[in-house]
Amino acid sequence: MKHSKYSTVIIGSGAAGLYLALCVSRYCRPKDGILVITKSKLNECNSRLAQGGIVSVMPEINGVDNVTSHIMDTIKAGCGLNDFNVVKFVSENSSPVINDLINLGVEFDKKDNGELSFTLEAAHSVPRILHAGGDSTGRVIEDTLVDLVQKSEFIDVYEDALAVELLCDGKNECRGVLIYNSVLNSYEAVYSNAVILATGGIGQVYEFTTNPDVATGDGIALAHLAGAEVADMEFVQFHPTALCVERGLNMPLVSEAVRGEGARLLNINRQPFAHKYHQKAELAPRDVVARAIFDEMELTKSKNVFLDISPIGVEKFKKRFPSITSICNEAGIDLENSLIPVSPAAHYFMGGVKVNLNMETSIKNLYAIGEVSRTGLHGANRLASNSLLECIVCAYKLADVLSMRNLDAPKSFDTKVKTILEMYDTDLSNDIIETGILRRMLKKAMWENAGIIRTKAGLNNALRVIDDVRLITRYSRVFSTKAGYELRNSIITSKLIAEAALRRDNSIGAHFREDAPEMPQVAVDLKETEILNKI
């Protein structure tokens, strides 16, 4: 088995991981170097698919105290389950990181007069969303960061390298990570006293998702296997409007910004319906809109509803949303007809590995940022476009935390680390299981029983299927293929989600229990005056 050492190891190559690598290389430049590990290619991640944009909490927009209003909007969307101090921190630190992205070369869209262009998205009280390339914000940010990382002399990148085990010693301290190279079919132990999980989301544990194939809950599983604390695992956000043409494939996202620009939701009979479910209609919080669409599909016995873009105008739509236009054209959708077929899909994860404001997990030397982390920013439901902001602000903060440490690779290990390495020192030539069928069983069970609408009976059924799949794998921790490890990670993540959803028997935010004691969704007294007093 190969061995190597780095001062800082970042697992994941989305916006959070890449921006952290750049910040650490600028401010710390640790003597043993920085390593970014990605199980696919450098730019394959959820960040790249973000269409809507990134929240920019400028101190004042149009005479509005935008920090205060952003805090209020975030807490309202999160149903009051947010960590106030985290919300305030992220909001107040938006401007510096946005300006840093601009200085790094990210070109956000501007008005004709050269000023930054802000747009409105659901549940925001003012237009505060920056976008790039029209509807390609994530791709523009990701491409910029990838280019800078590749040019950096202080950052190494391992592609096709899947992290399979955190190397934690008997003192509950992380000393590195074991990776599996799916091309070379070999293991490598990478030692470090600063290991950062930036592995992204969990969408691929569901049958229908907007997430790329890599989003299999790897970071959640790694942390759980090591004994790290997780939280809010029941809060999975289902995007209301994923393009619905051939279900069964990953579903392209049709950004919430489309509704922000004026598009209307119509059922299969071409009738508007969003107003029946919420006073803000199409601009209600995502969980409300997702359930409204789900209910309307049930009522009309259809597989989709429509987004009517005629209020925007086809030509304006094509100019404002070039990526979505291209996706629709590839799918054979005639935009001149003004109707785009959409349906909900698993999209974003509000729960994850629990961290504090220094991004520290419950295991020393182990940190988490981005979608894999549970910072407390989102509460029960993420406010639109807060995700990219969280990635960047938290990476910026963690770089500052790491700069205070004397980063170097560990020089010795105890028997627990050696025992872990011995467990993986096996013959990799044996095929253990056929993963494809088991993955499909798992994804279907999660979609039908732990998805948009949940019940006690359904969640128990999901857990039975999860345990059946685990039994077939013989509860194995060590596999011989990348697909095997992804299955292992999906099993662990699915079980944590279903168990958490079963424990929370009320409905709040993205977690909706049809058999909740109180219906409809439990209201949360946000006590706005108290929040304002804190601000």
Side-chain angles (χ1 to χ4, degrees):
M1 183 184 295
K2 184 181 177 182
H3 300 259
S4 58
K5 64 177 184 177
Y6 285 86
S7 295
T8 306
V9 174
I10 301 166
I11 307 171
S13 61
L18 295 183
Y19 185 63
L20 173 65
L22 291 169
C23 287
V24 172
S25 70
R26 284 188 292 174
Y27 305 139
C28 308
R29 294 188 179 173
K31 61 182 180 181
D32 288 316
I34 303 161
L35 175 64
V36 174
I37 298 169
T38 178
K39 70 172 180 178
S40 184
K41 301 305 177 185
L42 196 57
N43 61 359
E44 187 174 352
C45 58
N46 273 347
S47 300
R48 189 175 181 81
L49 302 180
Q51 294 173 343
I54 182 171
V55 168
S56 176
V57 191
M58 310 302 275
E60 185 173 305
I61 298 176
N62 299 326
V64 176
D65 181 355
N66 200 28
V67 170
T68 297
S69 67
H70 177 250
I71 291 172
M72 293 300 304
D73 290 349
T74 298
I75 293 175
K76 286 180 180 178
C79 302
L81 296 189
N82 321 64
D83 184 319
F84 174 81
N85 291 328
V86 174
V87 178
K88 186 171 185 287
F89 173 80
V90 171
S91 190
E92 289 177 341
N93 285 276
S94 166
S95 288
V97 297
I98 293 295
N99 289 331
D100 192 40
L101 287 179
I102 292 172
N103 291 334
L104 287 175
V106 176
E107 296 185 2
F108 292 108
D109 294 342
K110 296 180 179 179
K111 301 176 184 176
D112 292 339
N113 62 7
E115 295 179 356
L116 289 172
S117 175
F118 296 93
T119 191
L120 181 69
E121 290 187 4
H124 286 272
S125 56
V126 297
R128 60 165 73 93
I129 314 300
L130 285 176
H131 43 88
D135 57 352
S136 302
T137 310
R139 179 181 58 77
V140 171
I141 293 175
E142 182 76 6
D143 285 350
T144 302
L145 298 180
V146 165
D147 183 59
L148 292 171
V149 164
Q150 289 176 328
K151 291 177 179 177
S152 174
E153 61 182 298
F154 304 103
I155 304 170
D156 291 341
V157 177
Y158 283 5
E159 293 186 321
D160 301 306
L162 175 65
V164 297
E165 188 93 21
L166 296 172
L167 302 177
C168 296
D169 63 18
K171 297 179 181 179
N172 200 36
E173 296 183 10
C174 187
R175 296 299 187 183
V177 60
L178 184 68
I179 63 174
Y180 171 73
N181 188 300
S182 57
V183 174
L184 301 177
N185 195 36
S186 63
Y187 288 116
E188 179 174 346
V190 181
Y191 303 114
S192 176
N193 281 326
V195 176
I196 297 92
L197 297 174
T199 53
I202 54 88
Q204 285 294 330
V205 308
Y206 286 94
E207 188 174 14
F208 304 116
T209 180
T210 63
N211 289 188
D213 292 340
V214 294
T216 50
D218 302 329
I220 303 293
L222 285 173
H224 180 70
L225 287 171
E229 187 177 353
V230 297
D232 292 349
M233 295 295 292
E234 66 269 39
F235 295 126
V236 180
Q237 189 173 75
F238 297 87
H239 200 286
T241 53
L243 187 66
C244 184
V245 256
E246 187 178 347
R247 290 174 72 89
L249 301 175
N250 296 344
M251 301 172 70
L253 182 66
V254 180
S255 170
E256 187 164 8
V258 175
R259 284 176 283 128
E261 293 287 345
R264 299 176 302 172
L265 287 167
L266 306 179
N267 63 23
I268 200 72
N269 299 317
R270 276 58 169 181
Q271 299 167 328
F273 62 88
H275 64 282
K276 298 188 299 183
Y277 295 89
H278 195 278
Q279 60 184 2
K280 289 189 175 181
E282 281 83 2
L283 294 182
R286 283 182 177 179
D287 62 299
V288 176
V289 180
R291 286 194 298 275
I293 293 173
F294 186 86
D295 287 348
E296 205 68 19
M297 288 163 55
E298 290 284 304
L299 287 171
T300 58
K301 294 181 172 54
S302 57
K303 68 175 185 178
N304 65 274
V305 297
F306 292 109
L307 264 178
D308 175 15
I309 63 171
S310 60
I312 302 174
V314 174
E315 294 308 313
K316 180 180 177 181
F317 178 90
K318 291 179 178 179
K319 182 178 180 181
R320 171 67 177 84
F321 303 107
S323 294
I324 300 175
T325 297
S326 177
I327 290 168
C328 289
N329 288 338
E330 290 174 7
I333 296 169
D334 179 15
L335 289 177
E336 298 299 328
N337 182 42
S338 297
L339 298 180
I340 301 174
V342 293
S343 63
H347 180 60
Y348 188 83
F349 192 44
M350 279 79 70
V353 184
K354 188 175 181 180
V355 297
N356 59 21
L357 259 176
N358 286 331
M359 311 307 134
E360 297 166 323
T361 72
S362 58
I363 295 177
K364 188 176 180 180
N365 300 333
L366 179 65
Y367 306 85
I369 54 174
E371 193 172 351
V372 70
S373 69
R374 183 274 187 188
T375 61
L377 172 65
H378 306 300
N381 199 24
R382 175 175 68 97
L383 181 67
S385 291
N386 262 353
S387 51
L388 281 175
L389 179 64
E390 180 187 40
C391 286
I392 302 302
V393 169
C394 292
Y396 194 86
K397 170 64 176 178
L398 179 53
D400 182 59
V401 170
L402 294 177
S403 71
M404 299 294 106
R405 292 188 55 186
N406 182 22
L407 291 175
D408 58 1
K411 296 178 175 57
S412 62
F413 316 98
D414 64 10
T415 56
K416 185 177 178 181
V417 172
K418 294 176 182 177
T419 300
I420 293 172
L421 295 178
E422 289 171 357
M423 179 172 61
Y424 284 85
D425 191 14
T426 58
D427 181 3
L428 298 179
S429 63
N430 297 323
D431 288 328
I432 298 177
I433 53 170
E434 169 53 51
T435 59
I437 294 174
L438 297 180
R439 281 283 301 277
R440 288 192 290 273
M441 284 174 58
L442 195 66
K443 289 158 70 78
K444 184 176 178 63
M446 287 297 289
W447 178 259
E448 293 180 349
N449 299 289
I452 299 171
I453 307 293
R454 300 165 174 177
T455 64
K456 180 179 180 179
L459 291 166
N460 278 321
N461 186 59
L463 287 169
R464 280 192 293 271
V465 174
I466 292 167
D467 284 339
D468 286 345
V469 173
R470 289 182 70 204
L471 182 62
I472 295 170
T473 66
R474 299 189 294 276
Y475 300 94
S476 181
R477 190 161 175 157
V478 181
F479 287 82
S480 62
T481 63
K482 175 183 175 182
Y485 284 115
E486 289 182 324
L487 174 61
R488 180 198 72 174
N489 296 342
S490 293
I491 290 170
I492 293 170
T493 303
S494 297
K495 190 173 179 65
L496 290 170
I497 292 171
E499 288 176 339
L502 192 59
R503 287 193 298 269
R504 186 180 287 277
D505 63 0
N506 68 324
S507 293
I508 188 166
H511 171 69
F512 189 85
R513 284 284 294 268
E514 193 172 42
D515 56 352
E518 297 181 43
M519 295 290 286
Q521 183 176 0
V522 174
V524 175
D525 181 5
L526 295 177
K527 298 180 180 178
E528 294 190 15
T529 55
E530 293 184 15
I531 295 173
L532 289 170
N533 287 336
K534 287 183 180 180
I535 299 172

